[in-house]
């Protein structure tokens, strides 16, 4: 306001002074010209002051504004810093834990798959051992097929032997029958001998009587007649002995006959039936055996398929290496963020008078650091197996 | 008897999986966790084939290959890169460093065995 007052005051003073000079010079023009010249000078002077005042005032305001801004920026950057640092640390910790968990799990998974593979190989070798044993069955003494053939052969021989025994028994029984007939006819002959002995005895007795009648002349004849009687008695005794023995022979022959009859009667069909049963059982076993061979072969095939699956699992499990590297890269970026937070906070602390140039250099430094992370080690988008190129 | 194979990778799971695949196929395996360890092991032993990752702490795969190719014993031994890196630029760097081939992870165990049979008959 002061410049307006001084402008009015100086205008009044100039009017008075100009009038006086006009009177002194007795020319109103001179007075007017002087007053105008002085007015212009005054106006320049006042304008200068005014501009200086304005500049000073504006400087003052700007300084105050700058201070306020600086303070707010410091607060803002301080909060931003703690936010960035804390969050980056949390994220880094979480990423690191994720890396550890995946790493731990993958280690165990690989060990499991390793074991699985080893067990499968064992299974496969057992299976191929089994199939190899059966492959050459016709020539191998230990093979099941060989055993079946052997048992069947032995059984056939056994059946044949049993049939032979049966036939022989029948023949023997017939012969025994003949023997019994002969023994019976011997008994008839013995009866005749007994009769002859009896007649001889009678004749001897008659001879003795006739000898006694003849007196001395027949004495010699009497001795002969006694001897003949004694001989007939002995003949009868022998015949009796023979009869007793023949009876015993007859009994033995009858017993033999009946035993042979039983033997001959024994049914060959039973043996044949048994042979058939054993052969059936063997065939069933052989069939089962063939089935086992088939199953073992299928098992071997499955083992190979599982092996293929294990291989693709191994390819897929390499996701851990890729994830690990990507997480590592992510952590580097996070670290970059944290650094940026820290550096800007430090820059704000140092430059309390709004020196933005150093702030800009901090930002440039940080973005340079982050640009170095532009090369990402993993570009894959899935876990499909990678290319192979031989130079 | 086939020569031993060295697998250089900082990932224990990859080492485990490569070892599993190759040992079950009858190969003998040694492991190293970074390029420097790989270099030391290669110098101490004799290997018929080396698999290496690219991104590893201490020393990366390409550096290890360059160092190995400088050694007379490893001038012609096949060294295969086994890495997630699949860029053409990286591959040409590998070729220049002296790598014999480039396998991009994840590897298929059967393909890995086929490659081993081809480079180490």
């Amino acid at each position: 306001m002061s410049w307006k007052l001084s402008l009015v005051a100086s205008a009044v003073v100039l009017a008075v002074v100009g009038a006086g000079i006009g009177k002194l010079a007795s020319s109103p023009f001179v007075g007017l010209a002087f007053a105008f010249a002085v007015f212009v000078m005054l106006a320049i002077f006042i304008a200068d002051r005014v501009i200086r005042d304005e500049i000073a005032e504006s400087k003052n305001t700007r300084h105050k504004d700058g201070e306020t801004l600086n303070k707010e920026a410091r607060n803002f950057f301080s909060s931003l810093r703690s936010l960035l640092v804390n969050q980056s640390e949390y994220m880094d910790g979480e990423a690191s834990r994720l890396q550890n968990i995946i790493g731990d799990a993958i280690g165990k998974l690989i060990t499991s798959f390793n074991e699985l593979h080893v067990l499968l190989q064992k299974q496969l070798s057992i299976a191929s051992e089994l199939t190899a044993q059966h492959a050459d069955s016709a020539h191998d003494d230990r093979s099941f097929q060989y055993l079946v053939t052997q048992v069947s052969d032995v059984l056939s021989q056994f059946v044949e032997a049993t049939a032979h025994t049966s036939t022989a028994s029948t023949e023997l029984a017939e012969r025994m029958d003949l023997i019994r007939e002969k023994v019976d006819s011997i008994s008839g002959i013995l009866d005749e001998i007994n009769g002859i002995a009896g007649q001889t005895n009678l004749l001897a007795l008659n001879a003795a009587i006739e000898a006694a009648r003849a007196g001395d002349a027949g004495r010699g004849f009497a001795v002969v007649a006694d001897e003949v009687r004694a001989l007939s008695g002995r003949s009868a005794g022998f015949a009796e002995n023979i009869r007793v023995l023949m009876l015993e022979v007859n009994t033995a022959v009858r017993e033999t006959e009946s035993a042979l009859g039983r033997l001959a009667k024994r049914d060959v069909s039973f043996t044949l039936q048994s042979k058939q049963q054993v052969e059936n059982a063997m065939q069933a076993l052989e069939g089962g055996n063939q089935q086992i061979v088939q199953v073992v072969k299928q098992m071997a095939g499955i083992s190979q398929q599982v092996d293929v699956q294990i291989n693709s699992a191994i390819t897929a499990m390499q996701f851990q290496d890729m994830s690990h590297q990507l997480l590592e890269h992510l952590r580097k970026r996070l670290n970059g963020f944290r650094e940026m937070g820290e550096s800007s906070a430090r820059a704000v602390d140092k430059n309390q008078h709004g020196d933005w140039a150093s702030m800009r250099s901090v930002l440039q430094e940080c973005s340079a650091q982050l640009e170095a992370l532009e090369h990402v080690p993993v570009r894959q988008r899935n876990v499909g197996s990678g290319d192979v190129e031989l130079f | 008897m086939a020569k031993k194979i060295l697998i250089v990778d900082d990932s224990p799971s990859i080492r485990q999986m490569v070892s599993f695949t190759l040992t079950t196929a009858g190969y003998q395996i040694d492991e190293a966790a970074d390029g420097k360890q790989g270099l030391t092991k290669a110098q101490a032993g004799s290997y018929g084939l080396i698999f290496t990752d690219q991104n590893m702490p201490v020393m990366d795969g390409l550096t290890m290959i360059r160092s190995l190719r400088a050694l007379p014993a490893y001038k012609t031994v096949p060294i295969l890169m086994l890495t997630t890196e699949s860029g053409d630029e990286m591959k040409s760097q590998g070729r220049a460093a002296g790598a014999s081939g480039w396998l991009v992870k994840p590897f298929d165990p059967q393909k890995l065995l086929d490659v081993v049979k081809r480079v180490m008959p």
Side-chain angles (χ1 to χ4, degrees), chain B residues 1-70:
Chain B
M1 195 187 84
K3 278 193 174 175
K4 282 202 283 186
I5 300 173
L6 179 64
I7 162 81
V8 188
D9 202 307
D10 58 327
S11 158
S13 70
I14 292 290
R15 292 202 302 272
Q16 220 178 335
M17 284 188 259
V18 175
S19 290
F20 164 61
T21 306
L22 297 178
T23 46
T24 49
Y27 295 100
Q28 270 192 296
I29 305 296
D30 268 346
E31 296 177 17
D34 61 57
K36 196 151 179 264
Q37 270 190 30
L39 196 59
T40 315
K41 284 216 170 170
Q43 280 174 297
S46 165
Y47 297 95
L49 170 63
I50 297 173
F51 278 105
T52 180
D53 186 21
Q54 164 54 13
N55 302 308
M56 290 181 288
V58 191
M59 186 193 278
D60 67 22
L62 290 174
T63 314
M64 188 192 76
I65 293 179
R66 282 185 208 105
S67 314
L68 279 173
R69 289 299 185 215

Side-chain angles (χ1 to χ4, degrees), chain A residues 81-101:
Chain A
R81 188 194 80 94
S82 14
L83 196 77
L84 276 175
V85 169
N86 287 343
Q87 289 305 312
S88 311
E89 271 167 9
Y90 291 151
M91 285 194 253
D92 189 56
E94 281 155 22
S96 160
R97 263 180 14 229
L98 190 59
Q99 281 177 315
N100 287 341
I101 290 168

Side-chain angles (χ1 to χ4, degrees), chain A residues 59-93:
Chain A
K59 256 194 182 169
N60 199 21
T61 318
R62 262 170 56 197
H63 183 66
K64 274 186 187 158
D65 283 356
E67 265 189 0
T68 318
L69 188 71
N70 236 343
K71 209 175 164 189
E72 274 187 20
R74 271 204 303 282
N75 286 339
F76 172 76
F77 277 114
S78 168
S79 306
L80 186 67
R81 188 194 80 94
S82 14
L83 196 77
L84 276 175
V85 169
N86 287 343
Q87 289 305 312
S88 311
E89 271 167 9
Y90 291 151
M91 285 194 253
D92 189 56

Side-chain angles (χ1 to χ4, degrees), chain A residues 28-325:
Chain A
F29 180 75
V30 175
L32 213 68
F34 178 76
F36 180 74
V38 174
F39 174 78
V40 168
M41 281 172 72
L42 264 174
I44 289 169
F45 174 74
I46 287 164
D48 180 60
R49 288 300 307 209
V50 166
I51 287 165
R52 275 171 196 272
D53 279 1
E54 288 259 305
I55 287 171
E57 202 175 332
S58 118
K59 256 194 182 169
N60 199 21
T61 318
R62 262 170 56 197
H63 183 66
K64 274 186 187 158
D65 283 356
E67 265 189 0
T68 318
L69 188 71
N70 236 343
K71 209 175 164 189
E72 274 187 20
R74 271 204 303 282
N75 286 339
F76 172 76
F77 277 114
S78 168
S79 306
L80 186 67
R81 188 194 80 94
S82 14
L83 196 77
L84 276 175
V85 169
N86 287 343
Q87 289 305 312
S88 311
E89 271 167 9
Y90 291 151
M91 285 194 253
D92 189 56
E94 281 155 22
S96 160
R97 263 180 14 229
L98 190 59
Q99 281 177 315
N100 287 341
I101 290 168
I102 297 175
D104 185 43
I106 233 55
K108 283 174 183 155
L109 270 173
I110 297 166
T111 313
S112 297
F113 274 107
N114 207 337
E115 281 296 308
L116 191 65
H117 176 85
V118 170
L119 290 174
L120 268 170
Q121 287 304 312
K122 269 188 197 161
Q123 198 174 317
L124 206 64
S125 82
I126 291 169
S128 53
E129 211 175 293
L130 265 172
T131 39
Q133 270 183 16
H134 289 278
D136 213 14
S137 58
H139 310 289
D140 191 350
D141 283 0
R142 292 164 301 170
S143 78
F144 191 77
Q145 182 70 51
Y146 183 79
L147 179 72
V148 170
T149 319
Q150 286 289 300
V151 169
S152 188
D153 284 355
V154 169
L155 277 172
S156 293
Q157 284 171 17
F158 183 67
V159 167
E160 216 174 299
T162 311
H164 272 305
T165 310
S166 181
T167 317
S169 302
T170 314
E171 274 176 29
L172 270 176
E174 282 166 7
R175 299 236 170 138
M176 278 297 161
D177 217 27
L178 276 176
I179 290 171
R180 203 169 45 76
E181 276 174 26
K182 298 287 178 202
V183 168
D184 283 348
S185 59
I186 288 171
S187 290
I189 292 165
L190 277 177
D191 285 347
E192 261 181 55
I193 289 174
N194 257 339
I196 290 166
Q199 280 179 352
T200 310
N201 192 30
L202 275 175
L203 280 174
L205 197 65
N206 283 337
I209 293 164
E210 290 301 321
R213 249 188 232 165
D216 282 345
R219 203 163 283 160
F221 192 69
V223 172
V224 172
D226 277 351
E227 283 299 315
V228 170
R229 246 187 91 192
L231 278 172
S232 95
R234 278 176 70 188
S235 289
F238 279 134
E240 183 55 28
N241 280 346
I242 289 168
R243 205 179 53 82
V244 169
L245 283 171
M246 285 319 287
L247 267 175
E248 282 174 14
V249 168
N250 201 9
T251 312
V253 165
R254 272 180 201 285
E255 280 171 6
T256 309
E257 225 178 353
S258 109
L260 280 171
R262 285 201 301 276
L263 197 63
K265 266 185 204 155
R266 194 193 246 174
D267 204 351
V268 186
S269 68
F270 172 74
T271 316
L272 279 170
Q273 213 179 332
S274 303
K275 183 180 178 257
Q276 193 56 50
Q277 277 174 356
V278 171
E279 273 176 355
N280 287 348
M282 285 295 185
Q283 265 171 9
L285 271 173
E286 177 60 17
N289 208 36
Q290 285 299 326
Q291 219 173 339
I292 288 170
V293 171
Q294 282 305 315
V295 169
V296 165
K297 275 183 187 166
Q298 280 176 358
M299 258 169 58
I302 290 169
S303 294
Q304 276 165 345
Q305 282 171 13
V306 173
D307 241 13
V308 170
Q309 290 305 316
I310 288 179
N311 273 358
S312 77
I314 282 183
T315 310
M317 279 194 294
Q318 290 167 60
F319 83 91
Q320 184 266 341
D321 177 55
M322 293 154 83
S323 320
H324 183 87
Q325 288 191 55

